[in-house]
Amino acid sequence: MKLRRLRAIAIKEILQIWRDPRSLMIALLLPFTQMFLLGYGVNLDLKHLPVCTFDREGSQLSQALLKHFQASQYFAIVRNVASYPQLVSAIDHATCGLAIVIPPDFSERLNETGTAPVQAILDGTDDNTANIAFGYAAAVVESYSADVQLNWLDRQGRQLQQIQPMSVQSRVWFNEDLESRNFIIPGLVAVIMALIGAQLTSLTISREWERGTMELLVSTPVRPIELMFGKLAPYLVLGWVDAAFCVGIATLWFGVPFQGTLLTLFLTTTLFLTVVLSLGYLLSVLIRSQVGASQIALLVTMMPTTLLSGYIFPIDQMPKFIRALTYLLYSRYFVTIIKAIFLKGSGISELMTPILFLIVYAVAVMCLAARALRKSLG
Amino acid sequence: MNAAAPIVSAKALTKRFAETAAVDGLSFTVNRGEIFGLVGPDGAGKTTTMRMLAGVLPPDTGSIVVDGIDVVSKPEEGKQHISYMPQRFGLYEDLTVDENIRFYADLFEVAAGVREERAQRLLTASGMSQFRSRLAGQLSGGMKQKLGLTCALVHTPKILLLDEPTTGVDPVSRRDFWRILYGLREQGVTILITTAYLDEAERCNRLALLHAGRILYCDTPVALKQRMPGALLVISSPAGRKVRAAIVGQAGVSNVILVGDGVHVVVDDPHTCIPELGDALQRAGVPFTGIVAGEPSIEDVFVSLLENTGKTQ
């Protein structure tokens, strides 16, 4: 490998990037639009879920229960209905995600037997929201029950010391408030890197073919490996700039805490960029049209990274077969790495396993790409 | 290395694309320091041959040895010594003249000082020194080709392969171009050139006439002219088409070629044919100003040789 030829390719590539302001703009603006669009768009937190109530009793006790719902930040009572059909229609029209029905004998049963059922109807079309809403609704009712119990004991003249012999005092580490944004946005940085990285380099060789410059290039003594590194180097720099934008937006705009060190982030990001850039380059070598190569690049980066990298959907909960497939996906390793750096402040030693996987990936893709480029027109 | 041995030796080259043989058992040699022309109609296999010589297209069968290097088995070694200028403009249109030159100089590891000296000399010779910072895409067709030649010559190739370098180039640029080629020949560079312009073919030391992937004739332009069967008559007339219509099929007439001011006729025996043709034209009432024996141009020779091939096939 001759450094001089590698440098000549890199300089040529930089000049071409610089003289094509349109693609340069895309490379630099895409992280902004994607970060803001997806950063705001993807939010798994449940806040102010619209609730319908059907209070068939209308007593002091039943209204007090509903006040508890109203007081919770997770729910917002949007409508009080007077009949079942109205309630069904509210669910059907998705005006509410949760309906609370209080039976007509609520107070009576509570006073006589000490227990009374409350019905919660959930819109299961969004199972994730329904699950979370159910948990919060149960918690609201439970806390109200505890109030009622305390009152009752009080009236009996008994002092309440400790009803529960045991209780769990839980504390969540690394993302104390369980803000979904804090774990989604670091993963989003990985998704955007994968998308842009492969897009940038997917055009490099196919452009030479389309513009007719490849024939002359293959007639020179340039080696495939010089061509590859020469073409990847400028895009790595562009990738660094994009990564800096994304991390800047994540921390400064969205306020995601950053616990790790910039050095760890820089080294692992460079490794990940190497993987995606060489993947795009490999596609560019294999597919001789710019449109074709960039379409395939989109297909092999965006889709699997969004769905299978664990950026939103937890890998642990995937079926065994799919879970096995994710091991082939380079981005799952970087999603793990970047979340750990952001939220846990992990260093290189804690991240050794995913880092090794990425190194293996990078070497394999580069070997393939260097071999796939045959210096012939055949 | 023996200086008298041919610098390029191609044997039994064959290249098929799907069912058609673009090049079909081609063999030829090129001597050190000559300008060797490959001429022939479109689709004769000129570009395919050039690509195989340049090491960018492997032949199906056959061997190519360039200056002792087997280009088929070791194409990368050959590329150090060969400069290839493809038919389609292969430089970067979004790079300037200087940037393109520098790029190719770096790929061939030419020292910066040497590059500057050569670029200066070549660009001056082609009248382009004032366009060094212009983008290649904004150059005229002729200037693009001269830039291509400059890039091809910025290192010191032993062999220069030029695939239709002057197609679409204005006459002034073509003259510059050939002046540079002659200069190179004096420096001992061997040049292989394909061309569709037969007046250019006459400037070559030797010519190979390609047709349907085979070499029909390979010789010096003078020897080729002597191979032309019969002799050439020049009939000057303002009505060339009528002249042709009147004499086609006459005894002893083998070929009639329309030219600007009349027709060129290939005949078996000029002495008997001159009066016979004169009579025939008068009978047909076609105006003409004279019939004289002429020196055949390479174009006449090739059209005539190709026609004969068509007849025998």
Side-chain angles (χ1 to χ4, degrees), chain B residues 106-119:
Chain B
D106 282 344
L107 290 189
F108 285 96
E109 300 173 272
V110 179
V114 178
R115 176 191 73 217
E116 192 44 47
E117 180 271 316
R118 279 195 197 134

Side-chain angles (χ1 to χ4, degrees), chain A residues 286-300:
Chain A
L286 296 176
I287 303 159
R288 287 186 182 183
S289 95
Q290 292 190 71
V291 178
S294 87
Q295 289 294 312
I296 301 287
L298 195 67
L299 206 69
V300 301

Side-chain angles (χ1 to χ4, degrees), chain B residues 79-91:
Chain B
K79 286 171 185 175
Q80 298 279 356
H81 308 291
I82 298 170
S83 251
Y84 168 53
M85 202 177 137
Q87 189 171 0
R88 183 172 167 192
F89 183 67
L91 298 172

Side-chain angles (χ1 to χ4, degrees), chain A residues 2 4-13 15-17 19-20 207-224 226-227 231 374-378, chain B residues 15 47 51 54-58 76 79-80 82-96 99 102-112 115 135 151 163:
Chain A
K2 291 270 169 60
R4 175 138 183 229
R5 289 200 287 247
L6 193 156
R7 204 188 56 191
I9 300 276
I11 291 173
K12 185 218 84 172
E13 209 67 24
L15 288 170
Q16 288 189 309
I17 297 169
R19 302 231 165 99
D20 185 9
R207 186 171 51 215
E208 302 262 3
W209 284 114
E210 282 188 2
R211 294 194 186 165
T213 50
M214 199 61 180
E215 186 168 358
L216 193 52
L217 197 57
V218 298
S219 78
T220 70
V222 72
R223 298 254 171 93
E226 295 159 352
L227 193 61
K231 278 184 174 272
R374 287 179 306 119
K375 280 185 66 191
S376 105
L377 304 173
Chain B
K15 183 75 193 177
T47 294
R51 285 176 170 171
V56 299
L57 187 69
E76 294 306 307
K79 286 171 185 175
Q80 298 279 356
I82 298 170
S83 251
Y84 168 53
M85 202 177 137
Q87 189 171 0
R88 183 172 167 192
F89 183 67
L91 298 172
Y92 297 94
E93 305 214 337
D94 46 359
L95 259 55
T96 65
E99 286 160 357
R102 178 158 182 197
F103 178 63
Y104 284 95
D106 282 344
L107 290 189
F108 285 96
E109 300 173 272
V110 179
R115 176 191 73 217
L135 290 181
C151 287
D163 193 4

Side-chain angles (χ1 to χ4, degrees), chain B residues 233-244 256-265 287-289 297 299-300:
Chain B
L233 296 181
V234 178
I235 303 176
S236 309
S237 162
R241 285 173 189 281
K242 285 183 185 162
V243 172
R244 186 171 65 174
V256 184
I257 305 155
L258 272 176
V259 293
D261 56 351
V263 292
H264 288 182
V265 190
F288 68 102
T289 52
S297 70
E299 184 167 352
D300 298 319

Side-chain angles (χ1 to χ4, degrees), chain B residues 8-274:
Chain B
V8 176
S9 159
K11 283 202 187 84
L13 283 184
T14 300
K15 183 75 193 177
R16 303 187 72 85
F17 294 114
E19 280 310 293
T20 43
V23 169
D24 190 5
L26 213 64
S27 297
F28 61 93
T29 58
V30 179
N31 299 322
R32 213 166 275 272
E34 73 175 346
I35 299 181
F36 185 89
L38 283 172
V39 291
D42 285 347
K46 302 189 294 284
T47 294
T48 306
T49 307
M50 283 300 217
R51 285 176 170 171
M52 291 191 290
L53 292 172
V56 299
L57 187 69
D60 294 339
T61 57
S63 73
I64 303 167
V65 177
V66 174
D67 202 27
I69 300 164
D70 183 340
V71 175
V72 178
S73 63
K74 294 177 196 149
E76 294 306 307
E77 256 182 65
K79 286 171 185 175
Q80 298 279 356
H81 308 291
I82 298 170
S83 251
Y84 168 53
M85 202 177 137
Q87 189 171 0
R88 183 172 167 192
F89 183 67
L91 298 172
Y92 297 94
E93 305 214 337
D94 46 359
L95 259 55
T96 65
V97 168
D98 262 350
E99 286 160 357
N100 269 299
I101 294 173
R102 178 158 182 197
F103 178 63
Y104 284 95
D106 282 344
L107 290 189
F108 285 96
E109 300 173 272
V110 179
V114 178
R115 176 191 73 217
E116 192 44 47
E117 180 271 316
R118 279 195 197 134
Q120 189 96 51
R121 182 166 46 78
L122 288 161
L123 290 175
T124 308
S126 52
M128 281 179 60
S129 23
Q130 70 269 45
F131 301 116
R132 295 184 66 161
S133 51
R134 188 180 282 196
L135 290 181
Q138 291 166 4
L139 296 174
S140 69
M143 287 205 276
K144 276 184 184 173
Q145 293 306 87
K146 288 189 284 191
L147 173 60
L149 187 63
T150 305
C151 287
L153 294 173
V154 77
H155 69 117
T156 30
K158 289 179 179 161
I159 298 141
L160 186 57
L161 303 175
L162 305 171
D163 193 4
E164 299 208 3
T166 55
T167 301
V169 171
D170 67 276
V172 178
S173 289
R174 267 170 73 186
R175 207 182 52 203
D176 289 344
F177 206 93
W178 275 94
R179 202 167 51 216
I180 298 170
L181 296 190
Y182 285 137
L184 287 171
R185 185 173 59 180
E186 272 162 33
Q187 292 163 32
V189 179
T190 308
I191 300 166
L192 251 91
I193 185 168
T194 69
T195 180
Y197 298 118
L198 291 166
D199 59 317
E200 283 190 344
E202 286 194 71
R203 299 170 178 242
C204 297
N205 295 85
R206 285 195 307 137
L207 287 175
L209 172 61
L210 258 70
H211 180 66
R214 294 161 186 266
I215 289 185
L216 298 183
Y217 302 96
C218 180
D219 218 327
T220 63
V222 175
L224 280 173
K225 285 179 189 173
Q226 284 162 0
R227 268 180 200 252
M228 192 175 84
L232 187 85
L233 296 181
V234 178
I235 303 176
S236 309
S237 162
R241 285 173 189 281
K242 285 183 185 162
V243 172
R244 186 171 65 174
I247 62 177
V248 161
Q250 287 273 325
V253 171
S254 54
N255 252 313
V256 184
I257 305 155
L258 272 176
V259 293
D261 56 351
V263 292
H264 288 182
V265 190
V266 181
V267 295
D268 299 339
D269 179 4
H271 301 292
T272 56
C273 278
I274 289 176

